Amino acid sequence: MPHRKRWGIIGPGKIARKFAHDLRFSKSGYLYATASLNPSRLEKFQQDYPADQRYDRYEDLLSDPMVDIVYIATPHSHHYPWILKCLDHGKHVLCEKPLCINANQVRAIMKKQEETGLFVMEALWTRFLPAYIQLRNELKDSTVQSLSADFCYHSPRGVVPRVYEPALAGGSLLDIGIYPLFLALDIMGPPRNFQVSGWVDQGVDVRMAANLLYDKGRSALLYSDVQSATHMDAVIRMEDRVYVIPHQWHRMDHFLMIQDNVTTRYDAPRVGWGYYHEIEHVHECLLKSWPQSPLYPLTKTLELTGYMDSFRRQLELKYPDAIEKI
């Protein structure tokens, strides 16, 4: 019987805590090692999510021969170099979204992944939720007329500093706008054209709105904002019915179908926060020696990142050369 996969986590922040929480539900993997450059954060994480090993240098975790796969939860700007270092050390990689901050970096990761044969995936966990998979099956072979989705939260300057830090690739698009863009591309495919507007303040996009334009007047309206509250619903409109994913659609455990004034609810509960399903998919890929996910391969990540690059060009948003050209 294959051994349980030994996970290492670098960057034990808020998202990593949710990931570690859900990893506890898995019977095929466990948290083996954690690394942080912040001693107090590492100590607190160890208290809440004990690991066999803990390191105050990322390199030490990567040098541990017992680590099978690394979950990268550092700020966006640090994803690209640490993915490469993981692969150099022979480690499989699951990296928080966005995988990289531009498409050129993604292409370099794809080349390195092909050379090493190691598993690499962007951690866009919504794709693996049972309710989302059921929704995709409902929409199979159907034509979506329009889609609208947003992702917003209220975080004034100073509350979450990384969001407003250009050197960390802060702003709304890469942090949260990636979710509605993923939904549109995954459900409706690539658009014929798009229009983007927003507000760039002190080097980061505080808010962004995009209208993806398809044939026959079909469209997808997307919005992200780090300074406004929202209910975060997603609405998918067909010719004869409407699908609604209510309240924080990105972590969905049910959706509604409205047809002829009749509302039908479809439930598909998630385990834990929902990261469990992504974790188990990774374990399946490793067990079957798949270097990429068949559900969310790196080509999908490249497509997604390419559109984010294009959005940034329309917004005239450019991150510092120090992270754009690593």
Side-chain angles (χ1 to χ4, degrees), residues 5-9 23 29-34 46 50-55 61 64-69:
K5 297 303 177 183
R6 297 177 289 259
W7 285 83
I9 292 178
L23 184 53
Y30 70 99
L31 178 57
Y32 168 78
T34 308
Q46 178 70 13
D52 295 351
Q53 303 291 334
R54 54 179 171 171
Y55 299 104
L61 184 147
D64 187 331
M66 296 294 287
V67 173
D68 295 311
I69 181 167

mmCIF file with all atom_site columns, all heavy atoms in Angstrom, residues 5-9 23 29-34 46 50-55 61 64-69:
data_model
loop_
_atom_site.group_PDB
_atom_site.id
_atom_site.type_symbol
_atom_site.label_atom_id
_atom_site.label_alt_id
_atom_site.label_comp_id
_atom_site.label_asym_id
_atom_site.label_entity_id
_atom_site.label_seq_id
_atom_site.pdbx_PDB_ins_code
_atom_site.Cartn_x
_atom_site.Cartn_y
_atom_site.Cartn_z
_atom_site.occupancy
_atom_site.B_iso_or_equiv
_atom_site.pdbx_formal_charge
_atom_site.auth_seq_id
_atom_site.auth_comp_id
_atom_site.auth_asym_id
_atom_site.auth_atom_id
_atom_site.pdbx_PDB_model_num
ATOM 1   N N   . LYS A 1 5  ? 1.225  10.569 1.729  1.00 0.00 ? 5  LYS A N   1
ATOM 2   C CA  . LYS A 1 5  ? 2.055  11.629 1.195  1.00 0.00 ? 5  LYS A CA  1
ATOM 3   C C   . LYS A 1 5  ? 2.415  12.619 2.297  1.00 0.00 ? 5  LYS A C   1
ATOM 4   O O   . LYS A 1 5  ? 1.557  13.068 3.057  1.00 0.00 ? 5  LYS A O   1
ATOM 5   C CB  . LYS A 1 5  ? 1.358  12.347 0.040  1.00 0.00 ? 5  LYS A CB  1
ATOM 6   C CG  . LYS A 1 5  ? 1.082  11.448 -1.155 1.00 0.00 ? 5  LYS A CG  1
ATOM 7   C CD  . LYS A 1 5  ? 2.362  10.803 -1.684 1.00 0.00 ? 5  LYS A CD  1
ATOM 8   C CE  . LYS A 1 5  ? 2.093  9.862  -2.831 1.00 0.00 ? 5  LYS A CE  1
ATOM 9   N NZ  . LYS A 1 5  ? 3.315  9.176  -3.307 1.00 0.00 ? 5  LYS A NZ  1
ATOM 10  N N   . ARG A 1 6  ? 3.688  12.956 2.344  1.00 0.00 ? 6  ARG A N   1
ATOM 11  C CA  . ARG A 1 6  ? 4.190  13.849 3.384  1.00 0.00 ? 6  ARG A CA  1
ATOM 12  C C   . ARG A 1 6  ? 4.280  15.269 2.829  1.00 0.00 ? 6  ARG A C   1
ATOM 13  O O   . ARG A 1 6  ? 5.083  15.560 1.944  1.00 0.00 ? 6  ARG A O   1
ATOM 14  C CB  . ARG A 1 6  ? 5.564  13.366 3.869  1.00 0.00 ? 6  ARG A CB  1
ATOM 15  C CG  . ARG A 1 6  ? 5.518  11.974 4.517  1.00 0.00 ? 6  ARG A CG  1
ATOM 16  C CD  . ARG A 1 6  ? 6.910  11.509 4.904  1.00 0.00 ? 6  ARG A CD  1
ATOM 17  N NE  . ARG A 1 6  ? 7.708  11.187 3.732  1.00 0.00 ? 6  ARG A NE  1
ATOM 18  C CZ  . ARG A 1 6  ? 7.938  9.944  3.290  1.00 0.00 ? 6  ARG A CZ  1
ATOM 19  N NH1 . ARG A 1 6  ? 7.424  8.906  3.939  1.00 0.00 ? 6  ARG A NH1 1
ATOM 20  N NH2 . ARG A 1 6  ? 8.687  9.747  2.217  1.00 0.00 ? 6  ARG A NH2 1
ATOM 21  N N   . TRP A 1 7  ? 3.432  16.133 3.350  1.00 0.00 ? 7  TRP A N   1
ATOM 22  C CA  . TRP A 1 7  ? 3.337  17.508 2.869  1.00 0.00 ? 7  TRP A CA  1
ATOM 23  C C   . TRP A 1 7  ? 4.257  18.431 3.660  1.00 0.00 ? 7  TRP A C   1
ATOM 24  O O   . TRP A 1 7  ? 4.389  18.303 4.875  1.00 0.00 ? 7  TRP A O   1
ATOM 25  C CB  . TRP A 1 7  ? 1.918  18.031 3.011  1.00 0.00 ? 7  TRP A CB  1
ATOM 26  C CG  . TRP A 1 7  ? 0.948  17.494 2.005  1.00 0.00 ? 7  TRP A CG  1
ATOM 27  C CD1 . TRP A 1 7  ? 0.283  16.302 2.066  1.00 0.00 ? 7  TRP A CD1 1
ATOM 28  C CD2 . TRP A 1 7  ? 0.517  18.136 0.798  1.00 0.00 ? 7  TRP A CD2 1
ATOM 29  N NE1 . TRP A 1 7  ? -0.529 16.164 0.972  1.00 0.00 ? 7  TRP A NE1 1
ATOM 30  C CE2 . TRP A 1 7  ? -0.411 17.268 0.181  1.00 0.00 ? 7  TRP A CE2 1
ATOM 31  C CE3 . TRP A 1 7  ? 0.820  19.352 0.189  1.00 0.00 ? 7  TRP A CE3 1
ATOM 32  C CZ2 . TRP A 1 7  ? -1.033 17.595 -1.027 1.00 0.00 ? 7  TRP A CZ2 1
ATOM 33  C CZ3 . TRP A 1 7  ? 0.198  19.667 -1.006 1.00 0.00 ? 7  TRP A CZ3 1
ATOM 34  C CH2 . TRP A 1 7  ? -0.716 18.797 -1.607 1.00 0.00 ? 7  TRP A CH2 1
ATOM 35  N N   . GLY A 1 8  ? 4.853  19.370 2.932  1.00 0.00 ? 8  GLY A N   1
ATOM 36  C CA  . GLY A 1 8  ? 5.537  20.484 3.555  1.00 0.00 ? 8  GLY A CA  1
ATOM 37  C C   . GLY A 1 8  ? 4.820  21.765 3.170  1.00 0.00 ? 8  GLY A C   1
ATOM 38  O O   . GLY A 1 8  ? 4.359  21.907 2.034  1.00 0.00 ? 8  GLY A O   1
ATOM 39  N N   . ILE A 1 9  ? 4.693  22.685 4.099  1.00 0.00 ? 9  ILE A N   1
ATOM 40  C CA  . ILE A 1 9  ? 4.039  23.966 3.844  1.00 0.00 ? 9  ILE A CA  1
ATOM 41  C C   . ILE A 1 9  ? 5.051  25.079 4.044  1.00 0.00 ? 9  ILE A C   1
ATOM 42  O O   . ILE A 1 9  ? 5.709  25.155 5.095  1.00 0.00 ? 9  ILE A O   1
ATOM 43  C CB  . ILE A 1 9  ? 2.837  24.189 4.785  1.00 0.00 ? 9  ILE A CB  1
ATOM 44  C CG1 . ILE A 1 9  ? 1.709  23.206 4.470  1.00 0.00 ? 9  ILE A CG1 1
ATOM 45  C CG2 . ILE A 1 9  ? 2.327  25.618 4.666  1.00 0.00 ? 9  ILE A CG2 1
ATOM 46  C CD1 . ILE A 1 9  ? 0.505  23.341 5.386  1.00 0.00 ? 9  ILE A CD1 1
ATOM 47  N N   . LEU A 1 23 ? -6.303 19.154 5.551  1.00 0.00 ? 23 LEU A N   1
ATOM 48  C CA  . LEU A 1 23 ? -5.377 18.042 5.362  1.00 0.00 ? 23 LEU A CA  1
ATOM 49  C C   . LEU A 1 23 ? -5.565 16.987 6.449  1.00 0.00 ? 23 LEU A C   1
ATOM 50  O O   . LEU A 1 23 ? -5.317 15.797 6.237  1.00 0.00 ? 23 LEU A O   1
ATOM 51  C CB  . LEU A 1 23 ? -3.942 18.560 5.355  1.00 0.00 ? 23 LEU A CB  1
ATOM 52  C CG  . LEU A 1 23 ? -2.813 17.563 5.068  1.00 0.00 ? 23 LEU A CG  1
ATOM 53  C CD1 . LEU A 1 23 ? -3.055 16.804 3.769  1.00 0.00 ? 23 LEU A CD1 1
ATOM 54  C CD2 . LEU A 1 23 ? -1.471 18.289 5.032  1.00 0.00 ? 23 LEU A CD2 1
ATOM 55  N N   . GLY A 1 29 ? -2.610 11.482 3.082  1.00 0.00 ? 29 GLY A N   1
ATOM 56  C CA  . GLY A 1 29 ? -1.531 12.432 3.236  1.00 0.00 ? 29 GLY A CA  1
ATOM 57  C C   . GLY A 1 29 ? -1.615 13.116 4.591  1.00 0.00 ? 29 GLY A C   1
ATOM 58  O O   . GLY A 1 29 ? -2.656 13.090 5.248  1.00 0.00 ? 29 GLY A O   1
ATOM 59  N N   . TYR A 1 30 ? -0.513 13.731 5.011  1.00 0.00 ? 30 TYR A N   1
ATOM 60  C CA  . TYR A 1 30 ? -0.518 14.434 6.293  1.00 0.00 ? 30 TYR A CA  1
ATOM 61  C C   . TYR A 1 30 ? 0.546  15.524 6.290  1.00 0.00 ? 30 TYR A C   1
ATOM 62  O O   . TYR A 1 30 ? 1.453  15.532 5.454  1.00 0.00 ? 30 TYR A O   1
ATOM 63  C CB  . TYR A 1 30 ? -0.290 13.461 7.448  1.00 0.00 ? 30 TYR A CB  1
ATOM 64  C CG  . TYR A 1 30 ? 1.113  12.886 7.536  1.00 0.00 ? 30 TYR A CG  1
ATOM 65  C CD1 . TYR A 1 30 ? 2.055  13.405 8.429  1.00 0.00 ? 30 TYR A CD1 1
ATOM 66  C CD2 . TYR A 1 30 ? 1.497  11.814 6.735  1.00 0.00 ? 30 TYR A CD2 1
ATOM 67  C CE1 . TYR A 1 30 ? 3.339  12.875 8.509  1.00 0.00 ? 30 TYR A CE1 1
ATOM 68  C CE2 . TYR A 1 30 ? 2.775  11.275 6.812  1.00 0.00 ? 30 TYR A CE2 1
ATOM 69  C CZ  . TYR A 1 30 ? 3.682  11.813 7.707  1.00 0.00 ? 30 TYR A CZ  1
ATOM 70  O OH  . TYR A 1 30 ? 4.948  11.285 7.783  1.00 0.00 ? 30 TYR A OH  1
ATOM 71  N N   . LEU A 1 31 ? 0.410  16.448 7.238  1.00 0.00 ? 31 LEU A N   1
ATOM 72  C CA  . LEU A 1 31 ? 1.361  17.540 7.362  1.00 0.00 ? 31 LEU A CA  1
ATOM 73  C C   . LEU A 1 31 ? 2.619  17.028 8.055  1.00 0.00 ? 31 LEU A C   1
ATOM 74  O O   . LEU A 1 31 ? 2.598  16.685 9.229  1.00 0.00 ? 31 LEU A O   1
ATOM 75  C CB  . LEU A 1 31 ? 0.749  18.688 8.165  1.00 0.00 ? 31 LEU A CB  1
ATOM 76  C CG  . LEU A 1 31 ? 1.654  19.901 8.416  1.00 0.00 ? 31 LEU A CG  1
ATOM 77  C CD1 . LEU A 1 31 ? 2.153  20.481 7.098  1.00 0.00 ? 31 LEU A CD1 1
ATOM 78  C CD2 . LEU A 1 31 ? 0.920  20.956 9.233  1.00 0.00 ? 31 LEU A CD2 1
ATOM 79  N N   . TYR A 1 32 ? 3.709  17.016 7.309  1.00 0.00 ? 32 TYR A N   1
ATOM 80  C CA  . TYR A 1 32 ? 4.978  16.522 7.834  1.00 0.00 ? 32 TYR A CA  1
ATOM 81  C C   . TYR A 1 32 ? 5.897  17.649 8.282  1.00 0.00 ? 32 TYR A C   1
ATOM 82  O O   . TYR A 1 32 ? 6.588  17.539 9.299  1.00 0.00 ? 32 TYR A O   1
ATOM 83  C CB  . TYR A 1 32 ? 5.674  15.669 6.777  1.00 0.00 ? 32 TYR A CB  1
ATOM 84  C CG  . TYR A 1 32 ? 7.109  15.356 7.104  1.00 0.00 ? 32 TYR A CG  1
ATOM 85  C CD1 . TYR A 1 32 ? 7.443  14.375 8.035  1.00 0.00 ? 32 TYR A CD1 1
ATOM 86  C CD2 . TYR A 1 32 ? 8.147  16.081 6.500  1.00 0.00 ? 32 TYR A CD2 1
ATOM 87  C CE1 . TYR A 1 32 ? 8.768  14.104 8.355  1.00 0.00 ? 32 TYR A CE1 1
ATOM 88  C CE2 . TYR A 1 32 ? 9.470  15.814 6.813  1.00 0.00 ? 32 TYR A CE2 1
ATOM 89  C CZ  . TYR A 1 32 ? 9.779  14.831 7.741  1.00 0.00 ? 32 TYR A CZ  1
ATOM 90  O OH  . TYR A 1 32 ? 11.089 14.569 8.067  1.00 0.00 ? 32 TYR A OH  1
ATOM 91  N N   . ALA A 1 33 ? 5.925  18.764 7.528  1.00 0.00 ? 33 ALA A N   1
ATOM 92  C CA  . ALA A 1 33 ? 6.869  19.834 7.847  1.00 0.00 ? 33 ALA A CA  1
ATOM 93  C C   . ALA A 1 33 ? 6.280  21.198 7.498  1.00 0.00 ? 33 ALA A C   1
ATOM 94  O O   . ALA A 1 33 ? 5.490  21.334 6.564  1.00 0.00 ? 33 ALA A O   1
ATOM 95  C CB  . ALA A 1 33 ? 8.183  19.636 7.087  1.00 0.00 ? 33 ALA A CB  1
ATOM 96  N N   . THR A 1 34 ? 6.673  22.196 8.280  1.00 0.00 ? 34 THR A N   1
ATOM 97  C CA  . THR A 1 34 ? 6.257  23.573 8.057  1.00 0.00 ? 34 THR A CA  1
ATOM 98  C C   . THR A 1 34 ? 7.481  24.477 8.125  1.00 0.00 ? 34 THR A C   1
ATOM 99  O O   . THR A 1 34 ? 8.374  24.246 8.940  1.00 0.00 ? 34 THR A O   1
ATOM 100 C CB  . THR A 1 34 ? 5.234  24.024 9.122  1.00 0.00 ? 34 THR A CB  1
ATOM 101 O OG1 . THR A 1 34 ? 4.177  23.086 9.198  1.00 0.00 ? 34 THR A OG1 1
ATOM 102 C CG2 . THR A 1 34 ? 4.666  25.383 8.769  1.00 0.00 ? 34 THR A CG2 1
ATOM 103 N N   . GLN A 1 46 ? 2.530  25.778 14.570 1.00 0.00 ? 46 GLN A N   1
ATOM 104 C CA  . GLN A 1 46 ? 2.896  24.466 15.108 1.00 0.00 ? 46 GLN A CA  1
ATOM 105 C C   . GLN A 1 46 ? 1.978  24.065 16.252 1.00 0.00 ? 46 GLN A C   1
ATOM 106 O O   . GLN A 1 46 ? 1.630  22.897 16.401 1.00 0.00 ? 46 GLN A O   1
ATOM 107 C CB  . GLN A 1 46 ? 4.354  24.486 15.567 1.00 0.00 ? 46 GLN A CB  1
ATOM 108 C CG  . GLN A 1 46 ? 4.841  23.191 16.204 1.00 0.00 ? 46 GLN A CG  1
ATOM 109 C CD  . GLN A 1 46 ? 4.981  22.045 15.208 1.00 0.00 ? 46 GLN A CD  1
ATOM 110 O OE1 . GLN A 1 46 ? 4.939  22.283 14.002 1.00 0.00 ? 46 GLN A OE1 1
ATOM 111 N NE2 . GLN A 1 46 ? 5.151  20.835 15.710 1.00 0.00 ? 46 GLN A NE2 1
ATOM 112 N N   . PRO A 1 50 ? 0.242  20.750 14.417 1.00 0.00 ? 50 PRO A N   1
ATOM 113 C CA  . PRO A 1 50 ? 1.564  20.162 14.681 1.00 0.00 ? 50 PRO A CA  1
ATOM 114 C C   . PRO A 1 50 ? 2.099  19.382 13.476 1.00 0.00 ? 50 PRO A C   1
ATOM 115 O O   . PRO A 1 50 ? 1.371  18.645 12.813 1.00 0.00 ? 50 PRO A O   1
ATOM 116 C CB  . PRO A 1 50 ? 1.294  19.225 15.861 1.00 0.00 ? 50 PRO A CB  1
ATOM 117 C CG  . PRO A 1 50 ? 0.030  19.728 16.485 1.00 0.00 ? 50 PRO A CG  1
ATOM 118 C CD  . PRO A 1 50 ? -0.781 20.270 15.359 1.00 0.00 ? 50 PRO A CD  1
ATOM 119 N N   . ALA A 1 51 ? 3.377  19.602 13.190 1.00 0.00 ? 51 ALA A N   1
ATOM 120 C CA  . ALA A 1 51 ? 4.072  18.871 12.137 1.00 0.00 ? 51 ALA A CA  1
ATOM 121 C C   . ALA A 1 51 ? 5.264  18.141 12.738 1.00 0.00 ? 51 ALA A C   1
ATOM 122 O O   . ALA A 1 51 ? 5.779  18.525 13.796 1.00 0.00 ? 51 ALA A O   1
ATOM 123 C CB  . ALA A 1 51 ? 4.536  19.838 11.049 1.00 0.00 ? 51 ALA A CB  1
ATOM 124 N N   . ASP A 1 52 ? 5.704  17.093 12.060 1.00 0.00 ? 52 ASP A N   1
ATOM 125 C CA  . ASP A 1 52 ? 6.865  16.358 12.552 1.00 0.00 ? 52 ASP A CA  1
ATOM 126 C C   . ASP A 1 52 ? 8.113  17.223 12.578 1.00 0.00 ? 52 ASP A C   1
ATOM 127 O O   . ASP A 1 52 ? 8.957  17.097 13.470 1.00 0.00 ? 52 ASP A O   1
ATOM 128 C CB  . ASP A 1 52 ? 7.121  15.127 11.666 1.00 0.00 ? 52 ASP A CB  1
ATOM 129 C CG  . ASP A 1 52 ? 6.003  14.104 11.740 1.00 0.00 ? 52 ASP A CG  1
ATOM 130 O OD1 . ASP A 1 52 ? 5.118  14.263 12.609 1.00 0.00 ? 52 ASP A OD1 1
ATOM 131 O OD2 . ASP A 1 52 ? 6.013  13.156 10.936 1.00 0.00 ? 52 ASP A OD2 1
ATOM 132 N N   . GLN A 1 53 ? 8.215  18.105 11.581 1.00 0.00 ? 53 GLN A N   1
ATOM 133 C CA  . GLN A 1 53 ? 9.389  18.965 11.481 1.00 0.00 ? 53 GLN A CA  1
ATOM 134 C C   . GLN A 1 53 ? 8.944  20.412 11.245 1.00 0.00 ? 53 GLN A C   1
ATOM 135 O O   . GLN A 1 53 ? 7.913  20.662 10.615 1.00 0.00 ? 53 GLN A O   1
ATOM 136 C CB  . GLN A 1 53 ? 10.287 18.533 10.306 1.00 0.00 ? 53 GLN A CB  1
ATOM 137 C CG  . GLN A 1 53 ? 10.762 17.099 10.367 1.00 0.00 ? 53 GLN A CG  1
ATOM 138 C CD  . GLN A 1 53 ? 11.750 16.860 11.495 1.00 0.00 ? 53 GLN A CD  1
ATOM 139 O OE1 . GLN A 1 53 ? 12.447 17.781 11.920 1.00 0.00 ? 53 GLN A OE1 1
ATOM 140 N NE2 . GLN A 1 53 ? 11.812 15.633 11.984 1.00 0.00 ? 53 GLN A NE2 1
ATOM 141 N N   . ARG A 1 54 ? 9.743  21.335 11.740 1.00 0.00 ? 54 ARG A N   1
ATOM 142 C CA  . ARG A 1 54 ? 9.503  22.746 11.447 1.00 0.00 ? 54 ARG A CA  1
ATOM 143 C C   . ARG A 1 54 ? 10.847 23.417 11.207 1.00 0.00 ? 54 ARG A C   1
ATOM 144 O O   . ARG A 1 54 ? 11.836 23.100 11.853 1.00 0.00 ? 54 ARG A O   1
ATOM 145 C CB  . ARG A 1 54 ? 8.731  23.434 12.564 1.00 0.00 ? 54 ARG A CB  1
ATOM 146 C CG  . ARG A 1 54 ? 9.329  23.293 13.947 1.00 0.00 ? 54 ARG A CG  1
ATOM 147 C CD  . ARG A 1 54 ? 8.492  24.038 14.956 1.00 0.00 ? 54 ARG A CD  1
ATOM 148 N NE  . ARG A 1 54 ? 8.913  23.750 16.323 1.00 0.00 ? 54 ARG A NE  1
ATOM 149 C CZ  . ARG A 1 54 ? 8.457  24.397 17.384 1.00 0.00 ? 54 ARG A CZ  1
ATOM 150 N NH1 . ARG A 1 54 ? 7.583  25.365 17.242 1.00 0.00 ? 54 ARG A NH1 1
ATOM 151 N NH2 . ARG A 1 54 ? 8.871  24.074 18.593 1.00 0.00 ? 54 ARG A NH2 1
ATOM 152 N N   . TYR A 1 55 ? 10.819 24.349 10.251 1.00 0.00 ? 55 TYR A N   1
ATOM 153 C CA  . TYR A 1 55 ? 12.061 24.981 9.821  1.00 0.00 ? 55 TYR A CA  1
ATOM 154 C C   . TYR A 1 55 ? 11.888 26.499 9.754  1.00 0.00 ? 55 TYR A C   1
ATOM 155 O O   . TYR A 1 55 ? 10.799 26.982 9.416  1.00 0.00 ? 55 TYR A O   1
ATOM 156 C CB  . TYR A 1 55 ? 12.474 24.470 8.435  1.00 0.00 ? 55 TYR A CB  1
ATOM 157 C CG  . TYR A 1 55 ? 12.728 22.980 8.387  1.00 0.00 ? 55 TYR A CG  1
ATOM 158 C CD1 . TYR A 1 55 ? 11.794 22.105 7.825  1.00 0.00 ? 55 TYR A CD1 1
ATOM 159 C CD2 . TYR A 1 55 ? 13.912 22.447 8.892  1.00 0.00 ? 55 TYR A CD2 1
ATOM 160 C CE1 . TYR A 1 55 ? 12.033 20.739 7.766  1.00 0.00 ? 55 TYR A CE1 1
ATOM 161 C CE2 . TYR A 1 55 ? 14.163 21.075 8.830  1.00 0.00 ? 55 TYR A CE2 1
ATOM 162 C CZ  . TYR A 1 55 ? 13.216 20.234 8.272  1.00 0.00 ? 55 TYR A CZ  1
ATOM 163 O OH  . TYR A 1 55 ? 13.459 18.875 8.219  1.00 0.00 ? 55 TYR A OH  1
ATOM 164 N N   . LEU A 1 61 ? 13.471 23.059 4.549  1.00 0.00 ? 61 LEU A N   1
ATOM 165 C CA  . LEU A 1 61 ? 12.325 22.172 4.284  1.00 0.00 ? 61 LEU A CA  1
ATOM 166 C C   . LEU A 1 61 ? 12.512 21.467 2.944  1.00 0.00 ? 61 LEU A C   1
ATOM 167 O O   . LEU A 1 61 ? 12.268 20.256 2.829  1.00 0.00 ? 61 LEU A O   1
ATOM 168 C CB  . LEU A 1 61 ? 11.020 22.965 4.309  1.00 0.00 ? 61 LEU A CB  1
ATOM 169 C CG  . LEU A 1 61 ? 9.726  22.156 4.141  1.00 0.00 ? 61 LEU A CG  1
ATOM 170 C CD1 . LEU A 1 61 ? 8.583  22.792 4.932  1.00 0.00 ? 61 LEU A CD1 1
ATOM 171 C CD2 . LEU A 1 61 ? 9.309  22.032 2.672  1.00 0.00 ? 61 LEU A CD2 1
ATOM 172 N N   . ASP A 1 64 ? 14.823 18.502 3.018  1.00 0.00 ? 64 ASP A N   1
ATOM 173 C CA  . ASP A 1 64 ? 14.410 17.334 3.805  1.00 0.00 ? 64 ASP A CA  1
ATOM 174 C C   . ASP A 1 64 ? 13.960 16.232 2.838  1.00 0.00 ? 64 ASP A C   1
ATOM 175 O O   . ASP A 1 64 ? 12.966 16.391 2.125  1.00 0.00 ? 64 ASP A O   1
ATOM 176 C CB  . ASP A 1 64 ? 13.260 17.725 4.735  1.00 0.00 ? 64 ASP A CB  1
ATOM 177 C CG  . ASP A 1 64 ? 12.888 16.623 5.712  1.00 0.00 ? 64 ASP A CG  1
ATOM 178 O OD1 . ASP A 1 64 ? 13.078 15.435 5.381  1.00 0.00 ? 64 ASP A OD1 1
ATOM 179 O OD2 . ASP A 1 64 ? 12.404 16.938 6.801  1.00 0.00 ? 64 ASP A OD2 1
ATOM 180 N N   . PRO A 1 65 ? 14.644 15.109 2.814  1.00 0.00 ? 65 PRO A N   1
ATOM 181 C CA  . PRO A 1 65 ? 14.297 14.051 1.850  1.00 0.00 ? 65 PRO A CA  1
ATOM 182 C C   . PRO A 1 65 ? 12.957 13.392 2.111  1.00 0.00 ? 65 PRO A C   1
ATOM 183 O O   . PRO A 1 65 ? 12.427 12.699 1.230  1.00 0.00 ? 65 PRO A O   1
ATOM 184 C CB  . PRO A 1 65 ? 15.451 13.045 2.010  1.00 0.00 ? 65 PRO A CB  1
ATOM 185 C CG  . PRO A 1 65 ? 15.954 13.266 3.399  1.00 0.00 ? 65 PRO A CG  1
ATOM 186 C CD  . PRO A 1 65 ? 15.796 14.735 3.658  1.00 0.00 ? 65 PRO A CD  1
ATOM 187 N N   . MET A 1 66 ? 12.399 13.614 3.284  1.00 0.00 ? 66 MET A N   1
ATOM 188 C CA  . MET A 1 66 ? 11.121 12.987 3.617  1.00 0.00 ? 66 MET A CA  1
ATOM 189 C C   . MET A 1 66 ? 9.935  13.735 3.014  1.00 0.00 ? 66 MET A C   1
ATOM 190 O O   . MET A 1 66 ? 8.841  13.178 2.917  1.00 0.00 ? 66 MET A O   1
ATOM 191 C CB  . MET A 1 66 ? 10.969 12.919 5.142  1.00 0.00 ? 66 MET A CB  1
ATOM 192 C CG  . MET A 1 66 ? 12.004 12.033 5.820  1.00 0.00 ? 66 MET A CG  1
ATOM 193 S SD  . MET A 1 66 ? 11.802 10.288 5.370  1.00 0.00 ? 66 MET A SD  1
ATOM 194 C CE  . MET A 1 66 ? 10.317 9.902  6.290  1.00 0.00 ? 66 MET A CE  1
ATOM 195 N N   . VAL A 1 67 ? 10.115 14.986 2.635  1.00 0.00 ? 67 VAL A N   1
ATOM 196 C CA  . VAL A 1 67 ? 9.012  15.779 2.080  1.00 0.00 ? 67 VAL A CA  1
ATOM 197 C C   . VAL A 1 67 ? 8.715  15.298 0.660  1.00 0.00 ? 67 VAL A C   1
ATOM 198 O O   . VAL A 1 67 ? 9.591  15.275 -0.199 1.00 0.00 ? 67 VAL A O   1
ATOM 199 C CB  . VAL A 1 67 ? 9.367  17.279 2.067  1.00 0.00 ? 67 VAL A CB  1
ATOM 200 C CG1 . VAL A 1 67 ? 8.287  18.069 1.326  1.00 0.00 ? 67 VAL A CG1 1
ATOM 201 C CG2 . VAL A 1 67 ? 9.540  17.802 3.486  1.00 0.00 ? 67 VAL A CG2 1
ATOM 202 N N   . ASP A 1 68 ? 7.455  14.921 0.424  1.00 0.00 ? 68 ASP A N   1
ATOM 203 C CA  . ASP A 1 68 ? 7.030  14.471 -0.910 1.00 0.00 ? 68 ASP A CA  1
ATOM 204 C C   . ASP A 1 68 ? 6.544  15.622 -1.772 1.00 0.00 ? 68 ASP A C   1
ATOM 205 O O   . ASP A 1 68 ? 6.839  15.680 -2.966 1.00 0.00 ? 68 ASP A O   1
ATOM 206 C CB  . ASP A 1 68 ? 5.892  13.448 -0.793 1.00 0.00 ? 68 ASP A CB  1
ATOM 207 C CG  . ASP A 1 68 ? 6.330  12.161 -0.123 1.00 0.00 ? 68 ASP A CG  1
ATOM 208 O OD1 . ASP A 1 68 ? 7.368  11.619 -0.527 1.00 0.00 ? 68 ASP A OD1 1
ATOM 209 O OD2 . ASP A 1 68 ? 5.630  11.703 0.804  1.00 0.00 ? 68 ASP A OD2 1
ATOM 210 N N   . ILE A 1 69 ? 5.769  16.506 -1.178 1.00 0.00 ? 69 ILE A N   1
ATOM 211 C CA  . ILE A 1 69 ? 5.127  17.570 -1.942 1.00 0.00 ? 69 ILE A CA  1
ATOM 212 C C   . ILE A 1 69 ? 5.052  18.823 -1.089 1.00 0.00 ? 69 ILE A C   1
ATOM 213 O O   . ILE A 1 69 ? 4.858  18.745 0.131  1.00 0.00 ? 69 ILE A O   1
ATOM 214 C CB  . ILE A 1 69 ? 3.724  17.151 -2.425 1.00 0.00 ? 69 ILE A CB  1
ATOM 215 C CG1 . ILE A 1 69 ? 3.066  18.280 -3.249 1.00 0.00 ? 69 ILE A CG1 1
ATOM 216 C CG2 . ILE A 1 69 ? 2.831  16.703 -1.275 1.00 0.00 ? 69 ILE A CG2 1
ATOM 217 C CD1 . ILE A 1 69 ? 1.827  17.851 -4.020 1.00 0.00 ? 69 ILE A CD1 1
#
